[in-house]
Amino acid sequence: MTLVGALIGGIIVGLIPFFLGKKRNNEGIGTAGLIACVVCNLVLGLLLSIPCCIVFVILILVKSKK
């Protein structure tokens, strides 16, 4: 049951960089952000997943300005 909750939490947090990447034409980075957030949430929970999400959002925003 804990595994399912961790997966759902990671997916919810990972959808932020996923949809932002899709909107800014960086689908690859957005998908990588979704996968990384799910894995981070499985390892250390939201303690690691939220900073991972923030890093991918910054990457997408910086990449889209070029």
Side-chain angles (χ1 to χ4, degrees):
M1 197 64 167
T2 305
L3 183 65
V4 174
L7 285 172
I8 291 171
I11 290 171
I12 289 172
V13 173
L15 285 176
I16 297 169
F18 179 74
F19 285 127
L20 184 65
K22 207 168 221 195
K23 183 178 178 184
R24 302 265 182 157
N25 294 325
N26 286 323
E27 291 90 7
I29 299 175
T31 304
L34 174 65
I35 294 168
C37 286
V38 170
V39 170
C40 288
N41 203 27
L42 288 173
V43 173
L44 270 178
L46 291 176
L47 183 67
L48 188 59
S49 186
I50 291 175
C52 180
C53 174
I54 292 170
V55 167
F56 273 97
V57 166
I58 291 171
L59 276 172
I60 292 168
L61 291 176
V62 168
K63 272 286 231 199
S64 66
K65 288 205 177 211
K66 292 182 178 181

